[in-house]
Amino acid sequence: MPELPEVESIRRMLLEKVIGKVIIGSETGLPRIIKQGELNSLIGRCFTGIERYGKYLRFTTDTDLTLYSHFRMTGTFLWLGLKEKEPTHIRARILFSDGEMQYRDTRTLGGLWITEDGQRPWKQLGPDPFSQECSAETLKKLLSGRSIPIKVALLDQAVIAGIGNIYASEALFASGIHPAQKADSLSVEELNRIIESARIILQSSIDSGGTTFRDFRLSDGKEGAFKAFLKVYGKAGEKCDVCGYNIKRIVQAQRSTFFCPVCQPELIA
DNA sequence: CCAACGTCCTGCGTGC
DNA sequence: TGCACGCAGGACGTTG
């Protein structure tokens, strides 16, 4: 499940491969993953930059055409040199003279958008965790009047962009905050702790090439190494690194949440 | 305004 | 052993 660190890792690897090269062909393996526009309208263009917005990637070109991607659960871009072959779950291909960028997506929930500049595929995106505008005061405003659990709020991309199910649990563990605590009950100090924790965890994960929990692969086909540093995600029943108590799994908004009941005490309301 | 839930999808783990 | 079933979840649309 590619979240901010995984998308960022893909971005960095692709930068070295595709920038400044002319697109000489394209192929759409599964039409419904193209959410807007036509892939072959990119032929003859070249990518001039790749930016990340939350979990979206934006590929700028030498014209007003822009390619956006979102990986959802199982998407990724693989870079293949001319002689390499690995034919599974290829949903789209963008061809260059020295190789190709393949959009792979097992569960096909992700998508690509080819738009005129200015059009964006997302509805609403909150601040990027690494940006200056991502402050405790900003989050305090965005969460005011929200009675949802803080874990569920962290998954809301309109609140903060890029955090998914893995890093939401990890950031709350590092902050010592119980995942069920109501979003608008958190103090500025607690929100600050969440932001600081998230930044450290997300940056460490980027440095490791992200987390491969099951399916995720980097653009060179390799796994991200951050799984070894996870403290709670996927560890129900295992002992907490810090206190030795058993890590618990609960379900919030139809998604698994992992936490340590001792390190993240539940507040008595 | 907000919250909750259904929807999309396929591979794999579970249980009988 | 084999097979049916349900779970995994990100974003958005719909419903309450």
Side-chain angles (χ1 to χ4, degrees), chain A residues 111-131:
Chain A
L112 304 176
W113 293 255
I114 300 94
T115 74
E116 306 286 315
D117 205 34
Q119 302 173 298
R120 296 178 161 183
W122 56 82
K123 200 79 182 159
Q124 189 88 41
L125 272 188
D128 190 276
F130 292 115
S131 70

Side-chain angles (χ1 to χ4, degrees), chain A residues 22-191:
Chain A
V22 177
I23 296 162
I24 61 170
S26 74
E27 193 182 293
T28 300
L30 184 65
R32 65 180 161 71
I33 65 118
I34 309 293
K35 307 296 184 185
Q36 187 182 340
E38 301 252 354
L39 207 54
N40 63 20
S41 65
L42 295 171
I43 295 171
R45 315 282 176 236
C46 74
F47 292 134
T48 52
I50 312 174
E51 296 145 18
R52 184 185 55 74
Y53 296 84
K55 303 172 199 169
Y56 288 87
L57 285 180
R58 175 181 190 236
F59 296 74
T60 52
T61 72
D62 51 352
T63 68
D64 60 355
L65 280 178
T66 301
L67 170 70
Y68 288 95
S69 66
H70 195 296
F71 302 142
R72 292 284 186 104
M73 299 302 300
T74 53
T76 194
F77 280 119
L78 236 54
W79 172 263
L80 291 187
L82 277 181
K83 289 171 185 170
E84 297 170 281
K85 288 176 193 169
E86 242 186 87
T88 53
H89 311 303
I90 302 170
R91 310 307 185 189
R93 302 165 68 201
I94 295 174
L95 311 176
F96 302 87
S97 63
D98 65 338
E100 64 181 84
M101 194 175 113
Q102 295 182 342
Y103 180 67
R104 306 264 191 136
D105 193 341
T106 309
R107 278 175 258 182
T108 73
L109 293 173
L112 304 176
W113 293 255
I114 300 94
T115 74
E116 306 286 315
D117 205 34
Q119 302 173 298
R120 296 178 161 183
W122 56 82
K123 200 79 182 159
Q124 189 88 41
L125 272 188
D128 190 276
F130 292 115
S131 70
Q132 201 154 19
E133 58 168 330
C134 186
S135 66
E137 289 75 18
T138 303
L139 286 199
K140 186 77 187 161
K141 280 178 203 157
L142 287 166
L143 295 175
S144 81
R146 305 292 299 271
S147 63
I148 53 172
I150 183 58
K151 154 62 163 43
V152 177
L154 290 177
L155 295 180
D156 183 347
Q157 302 301 295
V159 172
I160 185 166
I163 293 177
N165 212 37
I166 294 175
Y167 299 105
S169 282
E170 293 296 322
L172 288 175
F173 172 76
S175 313
I177 292 168
H178 193 283
Q181 190 163 342
K182 299 255 184 271
D184 66 355
S185 75
L186 293 174
S187 67
V188 169
E189 188 276 323
E190 287 173 312
L191 291 172

